[in-house]
Amino acid sequence: MSIELRVFKADAGVKWFKAGWLIFKTQPLTFIFMHLFIGIVGLLSLFLPFLQIIAALATPFLTAGFYQAVLTKQQGGKIMLADILKPFSAKGNRLGLLRLALYQMAAGVLMALLANGLFAEAVAIMSDPNVDPNIALQQVIDSISMANMALFLIAISFYLTAFAYAVPLVYFNQQKRIFEVLKSSLMVFYHNVAALSVYGAICAVFMVISAFLTFIPLLVLMPICYISFFVSYQAIFMPVVPPAQSEPTEPEQHNDTGRFDA
């Protein structure tokens, strides 16, 4: 049985982001620390290579924990930082998240191999300690063809969109067929390209503004983006959405009004 999704108009992207802000401000510090915790786990794997596999396996669980906290707030509950660890002990969903993590790790390895193959000359230049730093950048630019760059951007776009909604689909919808999950996540970006483009543009604009403010506003912006992205998942995929959060729309292939009451 295929996974049904709903289709929204462009203005839904604004409503999703607004809903994310409204949820965030109910317990801002908790959401900030939750996001920081996820970020720290990722950074540790960069500095301590032996933690890379552990971090890769843990990330879907931590993301699911963050989303579960959002759902708890929508239902009027209280959350704390430790709630982000709940998926590790959630019976019935752990195997699905573990399988998803393994699939994502495999896809990440394939992306790394593709990058090494497409940009082997550039990697060799950057790895050569004898190359003059003043001319290394120009040599790297000259070694990269537009065709290879386009191919890599297409591949990375497929990778990101395929896994974008994978965690909530596995954890909340309890989908066990990973390839069906990845396909459904891809289809979201096809059917809801307008709404997600508006949502993405809003996030991008705020990120650019943050860059001029020493990135400190990202401590607030990134949790809001996480929350509002989960709100978009609820609107598109959840058959029953918490009251006063959204109005369901027609299943796939039928456009709706795009309404999402935050």
Side-chain angles (χ1 to χ4, degrees), residues 216-228:
I216 292 177
L218 288 178
L219 292 174
V220 172
L221 176 61
M222 293 311 298
I224 294 174
C225 290
Y226 265 59
I227 296 169
S228 53

Side-chain angles (χ1 to χ4, degrees), residues 5 12 16 22 39 46 89 108 140 146 152 177 191 193-194 196 216:
L5 59 88
W16 294 338
L22 293 176
L46 295 178
S89 58
V140 168
M146 291 302 296
F152 182 73
R177 295 177 296 175
H191 289 288
V193 61
L196 287 171
I216 292 177

Side-chain angles (χ1 to χ4, degrees), residues 55-225:
L57 294 176
T59 298
F61 289 85
L62 298 176
T63 304
F66 188 99
Y67 291 158
Q68 181 62 61
V70 175
L71 188 57
T72 299
K73 289 304 302 179
Q74 289 176 314
Q75 296 171 342
K78 294 289 185 180
I79 60 173
M80 55 184 178
L81 178 58
D83 290 344
I84 200 171
L85 302 176
K86 283 185 176 180
F88 287 102
S89 58
K91 295 181 179 180
N93 293 330
R94 288 177 295 188
L95 182 58
L97 289 175
L98 180 60
R99 291 177 61 229
L100 176 61
L102 293 173
Y103 273 77
Q104 193 161 11
M105 285 175 59
V109 170
L110 291 177
M111 291 301 303
L113 292 175
L114 176 63
N116 286 334
L118 294 176
F119 309 119
E121 186 177 349
V123 172
I125 294 172
M126 291 186 292
S127 302
D128 188 350
N130 298 319
V131 176
D132 185 346
N134 295 322
I135 62 174
L137 179 60
Q138 186 60 46
Q139 289 181 340
V140 168
I141 294 174
D142 293 339
S143 68
I144 298 176
S145 71
M146 291 302 296
N148 286 352
M149 180 60 72
L151 178 59
F152 182 73
L153 289 176
I154 292 172
I156 199 71
S157 296
F158 269 90
Y159 170 76
L160 293 175
T161 53
F163 285 96
Y165 288 98
V167 168
L169 282 172
V170 169
Y171 188 74
F172 295 101
N173 284 44
Q174 297 187 352
Q175 294 294 326
K176 302 184 184 302
R177 295 177 296 175
I178 301 300
F179 283 111
E180 184 68 24
V181 166
L182 300 183
K183 174 186 173 183
S184 297
S185 184
L186 280 169
M187 293 305 293
V188 170
F189 289 86
Y190 173 75
H191 289 288
N192 284 285
V193 61
L196 287 171
S197 294
V198 170
Y199 168 75
I202 293 171
C203 293
V205 167
F206 279 112
M207 287 180 184
V208 171
I209 294 174
S210 298
F212 290 99
L213 299 173
T214 65
F215 294 100
I216 292 177
L218 288 178
L219 292 174
V220 172
L221 176 61
M222 293 311 298
I224 294 174
C225 290

Side-chain angles (χ1 to χ4, degrees), residues 240-258:
V240 178
V241 185
Q245 294 302 320
S246 77
E247 179 177 307
T249 63
E250 295 299 323
E252 182 179 349
Q253 322 248 321
H254 297 279
N255 285 336
D256 72 321
T257 62

Side-chain angles (χ1 to χ4, degrees), residues 37-47 55 59:
F37 187 81
I38 296 174
I40 289 170
V41 170
L43 288 174
L44 284 176
S45 66
L46 295 178
F47 294 105
T59 298

